[in-house]
Amino acid sequence: MTPNAETALAEDTQAPVGPDGTRVRLRAEGVRLGYGERVVVDDLDLDVLQGTVTAVIGPNGCGKSTLLRALGRLLRPTRGHVLLDGRKIDEMPTKQVATVLGLLPQAPTAPEGLTVGDLVARGRHPHQAWYRQWSGDDEEAVAEALAWTGISDLAERPVDELSGGQRQRAWISMALAQGTDLLLLDEPTTFLDLAHQVEVLELVERLHEERGRTVVMVLHDLNLAARYADRLVAMKAGRIVAQGEPADVITEPLLREVFGLEAKVITDPVAGTPLVVPVGTR
Amino acid sequence: MAAPTRPTLDPAAREVLERVPGRRPFRRGRVSGVWRPRNVLVLVVSLVVLVLAVALNVGRGEFPIGIPDVLATLVGGGDPSQRFIILELRLPRSLTGLLVGGALAVSGAIMQSIARNPLASPDIIGITWGASAAAVTLIVLGGAGLVGALAAVGLPIAALVGGLVAAIVIYGLAWRKGIQGFRLVLVGIGINTMLVAVVNWLLIVAQVYEAARATVWINGSLNARGWEHVVPVGIALLILVPAALVLSFVMGALQYGDDTARGLGVRVDRSRSLLLLVAVVLAGVATASAGPIAFVALVSPQIAQRLVGSSRPPIGASLVIGAALTVIADLVARTAFGGVELPVGVVTAVLGAPYLLYLLVTQGREARA
Amino acid sequence: MTVGSAPVVPTAGGRGRARSKRSLRRRRLIGLGALLVLLVLAVLASIAFGTKVIPLSHVWSALVAPTGTEDDIVIRSLRVPRTVLGVLVGIALGLAGALIQGHTRNPLADPGLLGVNMGAAFFVVVGIYVFGVTTLFGYVWFAFAGAMVASVAVFLLGSAGGRGGPTPVSLALAGAALSFLLSGLVSAIILIDTDTLDAYRFWNVGSLAGRDTAVAGQVVWFIVIGVLIALATAPALNTLSLGEDVARSLGQSVRRTRVLGIVAITLLAGGATAACGPIGFVGLVVPHVVRAFTGPDYRWLLPASGLLGAVLLLTADVVGRLVARPGELQVGIVLALIGAPFFIALVRRRKLVTI
């Protein structure tokens, strides 16, 4: 752990505690979010508990990504607050936040001709200064992040030459190199085929199980969300409709209410999680 | 709590390499960076070219002086007449060209990086024309009273203010939930058109004598530039280039788009405003000294980037290449057309525009591939 | 749409559509009528107002019963020809703009932005410098050729390597780049040769002033033929606006429509530029304004664009005469000052997609 992250965590004596005694890492308190005049999310509360993988689901335009952006201090709430370890995230120095919380925007863009090594190394930015751009710690963290995502041998390849799955792993690798124990991923599986979607989500699962990372991600695929997340947050029109364990959230009435979808929910024969089989839209 | 940055090796993970390929470290105490030999090579070679270009430019003219004599004079030798011609007449002109070219190139490198678009250079999006419009306004409306000290002090300041105002207007108009490169470029082209119209109108309103002065000015000329032109650009470069080098650390993160940069802990709006300010002041000062010399700001960073093989224009190499380019263009403008001396801006435009077209064609191809 | 409500919807929609169709038609007719009235007003203003103040009664007598006074000469030999030329050129530029935007499906397309102006300027300078041409009459052919070469070059460069044709951005940039290059060359030539500079200045002002009837007579046929081709291809443009693939699957010859389109654009924009020098932004602004009441149907859009083009050009010309007395402001400058903010507003408002 880097000194920065350590102090950031040690300071938060007032970090709130969830119902079962688990620490609340991120908390949204009555937030209103929007762009200009348009309000997308209003009066929303959410707790993200230490060591969980939370998936936010909901129909297009329900405010999932907006919520995630607010949790990652990319969007400032017009009302209410986002708390990181009990402190208002907007009042913390953004560089300090970056040592605790990493995020991967939806469809991030890399400059043309950039190599994978340089991309992943950029994740060390919060730990660097203009005169200290490639310390021993940086190099170790980057080498490990590359190894973790299995792209060490691609380090010298330009990012724009990679396949979709490789590229997504490179970006996740960058977020890893940042060395934060909180990760926000906005639709990390977009544009990937099923095998690559599973590959990326397995990576997330390993991060959680082996590294104890806390992950919040926006996902479109309900079945994958149910399998790889241990908490689901279902949103509709800027409100949270249901949250909890996948089996409690993915129900036939909820699918009807949130997605307007007639579906049967059966048990996934592989993972034992709920599996949605669509019947049709009403 | 298991949230380490450097945890024990995951057994399933592949072997962790000692080093990251392609990023050889350079470390001295607390200072560290990535050692990129190609950058250094490019910098050294272009410096040599620059020195030769200056020597050649200083040597050529009505009284030709050989390169050895020029170099000797520059280090303190040479006979008195040579010293006068070189040190009082020709060297200031070359130095102005060198500094102006360098300033424009650094300005272009910064703007291209933050807009993530090679076309967002100060000479395309109307910043140099903002400076020109202000200067021409002063020349025309200030009238005959504008001579001597007032002209020497007022004109550069007016140009600087004009460039800044144009930049603020363009940035403001292009801002919609963040800056998008192409929107910045197109808004800039629009503003540029208006500024050109304003300048044309001023040229019509003006008295003949002032119109002539203004015409020479807006073509970007190094003619009759003395030490008084060298000093302001020199000072600006001395202050702003180190600032740009320090800020370029943030620029690396800004290239990834606003969300990623914020996620990495960059104060995006503040950093970008600061960088933009540096770029605009550099372009404004350069334009104030020599008029809007076309395309140096666009082309030099692009050449530097391709030579170095990086993903964004390198500041140092851009500076030297921009300086060399301007001095060479001045040499051509002075000596290639017999008795007629063209403004240096005409030469850079005719050389630079085809490159811009090439850039568009290849960029389009890549974007669609 | 739910299955249960399906039977109800078509009739309701059908009735609604019929009503909206009628009101659209009425709106278009009113719009066209208003444009005609505005054009008449602009023509009258262009004849009545100028650098020289002439009382309206004298204007009237000059038109109906000329007696050979100085005022009569000013009106009959300067203002009337100038107004006629303005109407012609305005129609040409407005139509050319609508055509270019239609063919490129590009909201930012404009003859000026596509390098037509600098192309014409460059050829005129070459004509003066190399071939010693010195009359406006002679420039017309060079300007015409230059406009044509430049517009084709920009179109090709803008779509280089592309599959789906040029994008708004690539066209605008290719136009800007070519204009930069040509203006550099023009500067080089006129700075080397002062005689060329002297002759070129008079062409380059982008103005309706000082063009006699001979110039109008020379370009009128280009413009008339251009207008006819443009109007004839309107239905084909409607199909083409759904995309080339759809147009082709509807059995249209896309290539023929395109070639006719480029011919018409060149005739119109080239003719206008040849007569008046570089005038930008009419073609950009007009179709957007007109679209507000005609909708996307080119059978209405094209004629309305022509009319509004004439109104805009004449109005700008009159404004230019009035604001800078005793001199006058060239109409090209007035239009750049009006048009550029419009362009910026457009860039800001739209997501830069094809129309």
Side-chain angles (χ1 to χ4, degrees):
Chain A
M1 173 175 296
T2 62
N4 270 344
E6 221 154 14
T7 39
L9 287 178
E11 276 172 13
D12 61 74
T13 42
Q14 73 273 52
V17 175
D20 53 349
T22 326
R23 227 152 48 94
V24 175
R25 299 304 310 278
L26 267 175
R27 166 173 280 177
E29 274 182 352
V31 291
R32 170 184 285 182
L33 306 169
Y35 303 93
E37 296 287 288
R38 205 162 58 90
V39 174
V40 179
V41 169
D42 202 5
D43 197 22
L44 181 143
D45 297 299
L46 178 71
D47 279 356
V48 175
L49 300 177
Q50 165 66 30
T52 55
V53 173
T54 308
V56 186
I57 57 172
N60 294 331
C62 70
K64 306 185 293 282
S65 290
T66 307
L67 174 62
L68 201 75
R69 286 170 57 85
L71 291 178
R73 52 105 170 67
L74 297 183
L75 183 69
R76 209 192 180 105
T78 46
R79 192 179 288 173
H81 302 285
V82 172
L83 304 179
L84 171 62
D85 295 324
R87 295 171 63 193
K88 287 179 187 166
I89 200 166
D90 287 328
E91 290 171 6
M92 295 169 72
T94 179
K95 203 161 176 173
Q96 189 189 339
V97 174
T99 59
V100 185
L101 182 151
L103 60 91
L104 187 58
Q106 195 175 351
T109 49
E112 223 171 90
L114 192 84
T115 65
V116 172
D118 287 347
L119 174 77
V120 177
R122 187 55 63 190
R124 298 299 297 168
H125 187 90
H127 307 277
Q128 296 170 333
W130 65 270
Y131 56 87
R132 192 183 59 216
Q133 299 196 16
W134 193 227
S135 66
D137 285 355
D138 291 340
E139 188 156 13
E140 263 180 79
V142 170
E144 257 210 57
L146 286 169
W148 242 83
T149 44
I151 51 172
S152 299
D153 44 340
L154 301 179
E156 288 184 277
R157 290 263 300 276
V159 177
D160 27 283
E161 284 178 13
L162 301 184
S163 71
Q166 288 170 331
R167 195 173 309 169
Q168 199 60 17
R169 276 189 285 165
W171 280 101
I172 291 177
S173 182
M174 168 177 160
L176 285 184
Q178 200 173 332
T180 62
D181 56 359
L182 258 171
L183 271 177
L184 307 185
L185 311 173
D186 196 350
E187 298 197 19
T189 55
T190 345
F191 306 128
L192 298 183
D193 62 43
L194 188 57
H196 283 114
Q197 291 183 29
V198 170
E199 184 186 277
V200 164
L201 289 171
E202 278 175 348
L203 190 64
V204 172
E205 191 177 40
R206 272 172 55 214
L207 275 173
H208 166 240
E209 284 176 0
E210 297 169 19
R211 301 282 178 95
R213 303 276 164 108
T214 307
V215 180
V216 184
M217 56 187 171
V218 170
L219 278 185
H220 258 301
D221 190 303
L222 296 177
N223 294 332
L224 290 178
R227 181 186 287 196
Y228 288 100
D230 35 41
R231 282 184 69 80
L232 290 188
V233 174
M235 288 183 68
K236 185 191 181 185
R239 291 179 305 112
I240 293 180
V241 180
Q243 56 177 320
E245 293 194 2
D248 300 333
V249 174
I250 301 286
T251 59
E252 286 164 12
L254 181 116
L255 291 172
R256 201 174 300 128
E257 185 197 339
V258 172
F259 293 94
L261 179 77
E262 277 310 321
K264 293 263 176 266
V265 175
I266 57 174
T267 305
D268 185 330
V270 179
T273 49
L275 187 70
V276 178
V277 181
V279 176
T281 53
R282 270 185 301 124
Chain B
M1 194 189 72
T5 314
R6 275 180 278 133
T8 50
L9 201 64
D10 173 62
R14 275 149 244 200
E15 187 193 351
V16 176
L17 299 165
E18 290 271 307
R19 296 213 175 281
V20 177
R23 289 180 66 87
R24 237 170 81 199
F26 162 84
R27 296 191 185 111
R28 289 281 179 282
R30 286 169 55 77
V31 178
S32 64
V34 180
W35 171 248
R36 300 185 194 271
R38 202 165 144 189
N39 292 23
V40 180
L41 182 73
V42 168
L43 206 59
V44 169
V45 170
S46 46
L47 264 176
V48 171
V49 172
L50 174 62
V51 170
L52 283 178
V54 169
L56 205 62
N57 197 23
V58 168
R60 294 289 299 269
E62 224 174 310
F63 300 97
I65 302 170
I67 290 189
D69 283 346
V70 171
L71 291 176
T73 311
L74 290 183
V75 295
D79 64 57
S81 66
Q82 284 183 351
R83 288 188 66 82
F84 176 76
I85 292 175
I86 290 175
L87 295 183
E88 293 305 314
L89 302 180
R90 294 188 188 161
L91 188 61
R93 177 187 180 131
S94 280
L95 278 185
T96 309
L98 182 157
L99 293 170
V100 162
L104 285 171
V106 172
S107 171
I110 294 174
M111 297 205 47
Q112 291 173 11
S113 292
I114 52 182
R116 300 199 287 162
N117 190 321
L119 300 163
S121 309
D123 42 0
I124 305 271
I125 67 168
I127 290 174
T128 54
W129 269 93
S132 304
V136 171
T137 308
L138 197 67
I139 292 177
V140 170
L141 301 184
L146 189 75
V147 281
L150 184 60
V153 177
L155 211 58
I157 289 178
L160 190 59
V161 171
L164 269 174
V165 170
I168 292 168
V169 169
I170 294 165
Y171 192 80
L173 287 174
W175 207 92
R176 267 186 68 190
K177 297 185 217 156
I179 284 292
Q180 201 202 359
F182 271 128
R183 197 163 52 225
L184 190 75
V185 174
L186 289 174
V187 167
I189 288 178
I191 293 285
N192 200 38
T193 318
M194 274 181 85
L195 290 168
V196 171
V198 168
V199 168
N200 282 339
W201 174 65
L202 285 169
L203 288 182
I204 290 166
V205 181
Q207 305 292 320
V208 180
Y209 165 71
E210 283 139 15
R213 256 186 77 197
T215 310
V216 171
W217 202 87
I218 58 177
N219 270 303
S221 169
L222 290 172
N223 195 16
R225 291 303 188 267
W227 288 105
E228 72 273 19
H229 296 95
V230 174
V231 175
V233 200
I235 293 173
L237 277 173
L238 269 181
I239 299 170
L240 293 173
V241 168
L245 285 173
V246 169
L247 285 168
S248 76
F249 164 61
V250 183
M251 221 150 75
L254 277 177
Q255 269 190 303
Y256 291 72
D258 288 7
D259 280 3
T260 311
R262 279 205 187 94
L264 290 171
V266 175
R267 290 155 81 180
V268 172
D269 290 321
R270 196 190 68 138
S271 311
R272 199 162 39 203
S273 308
L274 272 178
L275 278 163
L276 204 66
L277 185 71
V278 170
V280 170
V281 171
L282 279 170
V285 172
T287 312
S289 299
I293 298 180
F295 282 112
V296 174
L298 170 82
V299 172
S300 322
Q302 289 298 308
I303 295 175
Q305 180 178 351
R306 278 169 176 70
L307 289 179
V308 166
S310 59
S311 63
R312 74 186 147 95
I315 302 240
S318 300
L319 174 93
V320 181
I321 287 171
L325 203 67
T326 313
V327 174
I328 292 170
D330 185 41
L331 183 66
V332 173
R334 279 193 326 128
T335 56
F337 303 95
V340 187
E341 182 181 319
L342 288 178
V344 63
V346 171
V347 176
T348 54
V350 173
L351 295 178
Y355 182 74
L356 175 60
L357 286 171
Y358 159 81
L359 211 65
L360 284 172
V361 171
T362 50
Q363 233 195 3
R365 211 163 271 153
E366 275 164 28
R368 287 177 177 115
Chain C
M1 187 187 303
T2 51
V3 181
S5 61
V8 190
V9 171
T11 44
R15 217 182 300 133
R17 223 173 295 137
R19 200 184 312 127
S20 78
K21 203 169 182 176
R22 265 201 304 281
S23 81
L24 180 64
R25 191 183 168 78
R26 205 172 61 214
R27 207 170 68 211
R28 285 168 170 167
L29 285 172
I30 291 173
L32 272 189
L35 279 180
L36 275 174
V37 173
L38 281 176
L39 182 59
V40 170
L41 288 176
V43 165
L44 292 178
S46 172
I47 293 171
F49 302 116
T51 321
K52 185 177 194 305
V53 182
I54 300 175
L56 286 180
S57 58
H58 290 207
V59 173
W60 178 248
S61 66
L63 289 176
V64 292
T67 52
T69 61
E70 195 194 328
D71 285 353
D72 288 357
I73 294 170
V74 167
I75 300 274
R76 293 187 75 93
S77 65
L78 294 179
R79 289 199 192 160
V80 170
R82 179 174 184 163
T83 306
V84 170
L85 190 65
V87 172
L88 263 181
V89 168
I91 289 176
L93 288 174
L95 260 180
L99 281 179
I100 287 189
Q101 291 183 8
H103 274 281
T104 57
R105 299 174 76 200
N106 181 339
L108 301 180
D110 170 78
L113 289 173
L114 292 188
V116 168
N117 292 340
M118 280 322 296
F122 176 64
F123 270 58
V124 166
V125 165
V126 169
I128 301 168
Y129 183 60
V130 181
F131 301 101
V133 185
T134 48
T135 59
L136 278 178
F137 206 81
Y139 299 159
V140 167
W141 296 104
F142 285 96
F144 193 77
M148 189 173 70
V149 171
S151 57
V152 172
V154 167
F155 204 85
L156 291 179
L157 285 167
S159 44
R163 280 190 298 261
T167 67
V169 169
S170 68
L171 264 187
L173 290 175
L178 195 73
S179 297
F180 273 123
L181 172 62
L182 294 173
S183 82
L185 290 172
V186 166
S187 299
I189 294 176
I190 61 179
L191 285 166
I192 288 173
D193 187 65
T194 343
D195 293 341
T196 309
L197 168 63
D198 207 38
Y200 168 73
R201 277 196 319 183
F202 289 99
W203 180 80
N204 188 39
V205 281
S207 167
L208 294 172
R211 267 68 177 173
D212 58 21
T213 29
V215 173
Q218 206 176 6
V219 296
V220 68
W221 295 112
F222 295 134
I223 294 177
V224 167
I225 295 171
V227 169
L228 290 178
I229 297 178
L231 295 179
T233 54
L237 257 182
N238 277 342
T239 325
L240 205 58
S241 68
L242 301 173
E244 284 199 5
D245 289 348
V246 176
R248 226 172 256 127
S249 69
L250 290 172
Q252 191 188 85
S253 163
V254 172
R255 177 188 291 270
R256 199 182 60 201
T257 312
R258 289 260 187 254
V259 169
L260 282 176
I262 290 180
V263 169
I265 290 167
T266 311
L267 287 171
L268 290 167
T273 312
C276 293
I279 294 176
F281 286 111
V282 175
L284 174 80
V285 174
V286 160
H288 287 284
V289 177
V290 166
R291 214 171 270 126
F293 71 84
T294 63
D297 186 341
Y298 280 91
R299 288 171 304 175
W300 292 89
L301 183 65
L302 289 179
S305 294
L307 287 180
L308 186 63
V311 172
L312 183 63
L313 190 68
L314 279 184
T315 311
D317 188 41
V318 172
V319 168
R321 284 183 231 165
L322 296 182
V323 292
R325 273 177 175 160
E328 64 173 77
L329 198 53
Q330 276 67 30
V331 68
I333 294 176
V334 176
L335 283 168
L337 292 176
I338 302 171
F342 189 90
F343 175 80
I344 292 168
L346 215 59
V347 170
R348 275 179 59 77
R349 204 191 52 179
R350 279 179 188 268
K351 279 189 160 178
L352 290 175
V353 289
T354 49
I355 334 180

